[in-house]
């Protein structure tokens, strides 16, 4: 739990970049439509963070889970991400926009939590 996202050159084994995220990193998802990475986290905020690649500038923090976010998966169209956490909930996020279309802004835009929260138990 070193709180970092690291990028490695697999050919040479050298470290290319290391970003301190401020909390333990649990999972990563690449955006299929733009150069972005979504990370899920545990202690202390149990959030998801959207990063612009390759600058790794933080675009948005998504909060809603009350325990460590253990897993993420993308919908077949690559626009929606579901996160599963130790708080026994699934949350659906419209984080990656609308496929190849221009993204919406404001309340309907990036990082909007979809209306349903499903409890695992």
């Amino acid at each position: 739990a070193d709180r970092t996202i690291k990028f490695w050159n697999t050919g040479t084994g050298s470290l290319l970049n290391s970003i301190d995220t401020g909390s333990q990193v649990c999972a990563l998802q690449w955006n299929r439509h733009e150069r972005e990475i979504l990370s899920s986290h545990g202690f202390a905020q149990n959030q998801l963070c959207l990063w612009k690649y390759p600058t790794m500038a933080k675009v948005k923090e998504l909060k809603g889970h009350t325990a460590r976010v253990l897993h993420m998966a993308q919908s077949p169209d690559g626009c929606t991400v579901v996160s599963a956490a130790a708080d026994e909930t699934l949350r659906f996020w419209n984080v990656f926009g609308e496929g190849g279309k221009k993204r919406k802004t404001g309340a309907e835009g990036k990082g909007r939590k979809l209306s349903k929260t499903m409890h695992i138990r």
Side-chain angles (χ1 to χ4, degrees):
D2 68 355
R3 307 177 331 178
T4 62
I5 298 172
K6 294 185 186 318
F7 294 91
W8 298 88
N9 180 323
T10 57
T12 65
S14 63
L15 179 64
L16 301 174
N17 197 1
S18 180
I19 306 302
D20 185 349
T21 66
S23 60
Q24 60 185 195
V25 179
C26 300
L28 298 171
Q29 286 282 320
W30 286 92
N31 183 340
R32 298 179 193 168
H33 310 293
E34 292 191 34
R35 296 179 69 149
E36 296 174 329
I37 300 170
L38 184 67
S39 58
S40 72
H41 299 270
F43 184 79
Q45 297 183 34
N46 308 307
Q47 80 277 27
L48 281 69
C49 293
L50 185 63
W51 307 87
K52 199 69 169 163
Y53 180 81
T55 64
M56 294 307 288
K58 190 184 295 185
V59 176
K60 181 101 176 163
E61 280 195 16
L62 309 170
K63 297 180 181 178
H65 287 291
T66 59
R68 181 172 35 164
V69 184
L70 300 169
H71 183 73
M72 295 185 295
Q74 282 186 52
S75 60
D77 66 2
C79 295
T80 303
V81 172
V82 61
S83 56
D87 61 9
E88 299 184 345
T89 62
L90 298 175
R91 296 194 185 270
F92 293 83
W93 307 88
N94 184 16
V95 68
F96 290 146
E98 301 179 21
K101 299 178 185 175
K102 185 175 167 118
R103 294 186 191 181
K104 297 178 183 176
T105 58
E108 297 177 337
K110 184 187 299 184
R112 179 174 60 100
K113 184 168 48 172
L114 299 178
S115 61
K116 298 208 182 229
T117 300
M118 303 171 93
H119 293 274
I120 297 171
R121 296 176 212 244

